[in-house]
Each structure stands twice: as C-alpha cells, then as structure tokens.
Amino acid sequence: MGKIIAIANQKGGVGKTTTAVNLAAALGVLEKKVLLIDADPQANASSGLGIAVDEIENGTYELLENSSRASSLVIETTSPNVKIIPAHIDLVGIEIELIDKPQREFMLKESLKEVKDNYDYILIDCAPSLGLITLNALVSAESVIIPIQCEYFALEGLGKLLNTIKSVQKIHNKKLDIEGLLLTMYDSRLRLSNQVVEEVRTHFNSMVFDTIIQRNIRLGEAPSFGESIISYDATSKGAINYLNLAHEILKKNEN
C-alpha cells in the first residue's frame, strides 16, 4: 500500500518542486514504484520531467474535481518507475470552483483511493500557498516533507505552516505526520548557511533530515532539459544528495 507524502511550504523558491521531481526519480532508481502529483498551477514538476504542459488536456484539475478517474490521468515519464499526474494552468481556478462543494478538503483523498495500492510512494508537489489545493494534499497525505532553504528568512512562515499542519491533524487527518524538515540550497562556504543549519537542528532536532541538499549548478540546469538530476547527471552533488534522501526515507519507512 502506497505511502502518500506531501512536499509543502507556503514560501516560494525553497526547493519544493526540485525535491518532488528528484526524490521521485531517486526512489524510482531504487526500484520503488512512484506516482508524482503536480498540485501546483505553475506545473513546474510536470515540465521538469519532460511533459509538454501546453498539450495536457487532463490532470490534477480533473483529479481534484473528481471528474476523471485517477488511473486515467496517469502519464508515463522517462524516469524509471516514475509516473505523473500533471498540472495545467486551469488548476488556478479549482479553489474557487471547490469552495461550495461539500467535503471539499477531501476531494483529492477520495480520488487517490483508486490508485493508492499501485505505488510504493505517492509524492504531491504543493503550490507555494496554504490554500485549498495544499489543504487537500495535507488531508490526503500520511506525512509531509518541509523544504527549508539555508538563507536569511529560512524560518519565517514556518510557524504558520506547522500551525496549519496541527489544525489539519486535529480536524481532518489525525494520521498526518511530519516526515522531516529538509535543508536545501546549502552552501558550506557561507557562514549564514551554517548558522541556519545549526539553528534548525537546535530548534527541531530529530525532525530534521540528516541529508542536506547543497547548492548545485547541475541541479538548476536539469529542469530546462526536462530531466531529473538523476538522468541529467547521476554523478553530481545534487543527484547524490537526493539519492541519500531517498535512502533515508526508505530506511525510516521500511525497517
């Protein structure tokens, strides 16, 4: 039975999509069946895996609307063992359309029941907001990965996200757990990066992944070729970081 993990932080530019795409690819290479759900209207996870977003007719919008079966929305990717339910720009409108629906927070959870057992891991790339799409992702998920960039305002807004997670746990999804805080964009040469790592580890202790995602030029280049870092440059620091993260998640979940 697949474990559903949301990758969320309402701050933009913290490495959510980079983590969603490359963690999916790393788990796939480690022979796990993975479904990636692009729940961000910008559709960067879709294009980052080589999907021509302009040609997508059905995707996460229909999934959230419950107008199409999840299994009919799944697309193959070039990444081994990784499939995706892509996003397209229409997803922007879904929050307004769902607003009057009963049980609107549970639409994604209901849709995923059909495919949950077909995968080892289902990863949801959330939008940089705490709106209804992200709420649907948190209600569906068993755990959440929170990327935090090693920069000055790193912890800004984290309290708000943790409060949202607490209220989801209380009202909608008692099983929701924090898979871990993931430090991203780390540059060992910068004192600030090291201070952020120290501060996050001091505050959150065992909640923080041992793996740190380092700043890496190859990691930034890969999406423009529609490839994960694993396909684009398997020997790069970025690929090694994400493979280490995948190993850490597998060790935590499968022991």
Side-chain angles (χ1 to χ4, degrees):
M1 193 151 131
K3 180 168 190 178
I4 302 177
I5 303 176
I7 298 164
N9 189 330
Q10 76 271 30
K11 276 172 72 90
V14 297
K16 267 191 311 295
T17 299
T18 302
T19 295
V21 167
N22 294 309
L23 176 57
L27 287 166
V29 164
L30 297 173
E31 302 194 333
K32 298 294 166 191
K33 287 185 190 162
V34 184
L35 176 63
L36 177 59
I37 295 170
D38 191 348
D40 182 348
Q42 294 173 71
N44 291 338
S46 304
S47 58
L49 278 176
I51 306 295
V53 175
D54 298 346
E55 294 167 21
I56 294 301
E57 289 178 14
N58 296 303
T60 316
Y61 178 91
E62 286 72 21
L63 188 70
L64 278 157
E65 212 188 27
N66 287 170
S67 61
S68 296
R69 292 180 59 176
S71 56
S72 71
L73 302 170
V74 172
I75 293 179
E76 297 278 349
T77 75
T78 53
S79 248
N81 297 317
V82 179
K83 295 182 180 179
I84 189 169
I85 294 181
H88 53 83
I89 195 64
D90 288 1
L91 191 56
V92 167
I94 196 75
E95 302 212 345
I96 295 159
E97 289 177 37
L98 289 184
I99 210 83
D100 296 328
K101 294 226 175 169
Q103 301 283 295
R104 59 183 180 270
E105 302 92 345
F106 295 91
M107 302 295 270
L108 184 58
K109 186 174 184 173
E110 281 305 308
S111 289
L112 290 179
K113 280 179 182 171
E114 182 211 351
V115 294
K116 193 168 187 277
D117 293 345
N118 301 345
Y119 300 93
D120 298 304
Y121 290 92
I122 296 176
L123 304 180
I124 307 173
D125 181 31
C126 297
S129 75
L130 291 178
L132 195 49
I133 302 177
T134 300
L135 181 56
N136 262 273
L138 294 175
V139 171
S140 309
E142 283 142 86
S143 67
V144 55
I145 292 172
I146 304 170
I148 299 171
Q149 85 279 41
C150 297
E151 287 170 7
Y152 186 64
F153 291 116
L155 299 179
E156 193 186 58
L158 186 58
K160 195 174 178 189
L161 177 59
L162 293 173
N163 284 339
T164 300
I165 290 168
K166 266 187 202 151
S167 69
V168 170
Q169 285 167 331
K170 203 184 291 180
I171 303 165
H172 301 105
N173 181 3
K174 290 181 174 60
K175 291 179 181 171
L176 183 64
D177 194 10
I178 292 176
E179 190 75 28
L181 307 184
L182 177 67
L183 291 156
T184 62
M185 303 179 192
Y186 173 72
D187 186 337
S188 58
R189 298 166 301 178
L190 300 179
R191 186 195 291 175
L192 179 61
S193 271
N194 292 305
Q195 283 173 341
V196 170
V197 170
E198 206 175 303
E199 197 176 338
V200 172
R201 289 207 189 283
T202 304
H203 270 79
F204 297 102
N205 207 337
S206 62
M207 283 166 68
V208 186
F209 284 112
D210 293 335
T211 303
I212 293 177
I213 309 299
Q214 293 163 287
R215 273 199 185 280
N216 179 236
I217 289 165
R218 308 294 276 168
L219 204 50
E221 289 172 351
S224 61
F225 293 91
E227 290 184 34
S228 74
I229 190 61
I230 314 290
S231 308
Y232 182 64
D233 185 351
T235 60
S236 66
K237 260 187 205 164
I240 291 160
N241 290 164
Y242 277 109
L243 283 164
N244 287 342
L245 177 64
H247 278 296
E248 199 175 333
I249 287 170
L250 293 181
K251 191 176 172 191
K252 183 178 175 183
N253 286 288
E254 297 183 8
N255 275 358

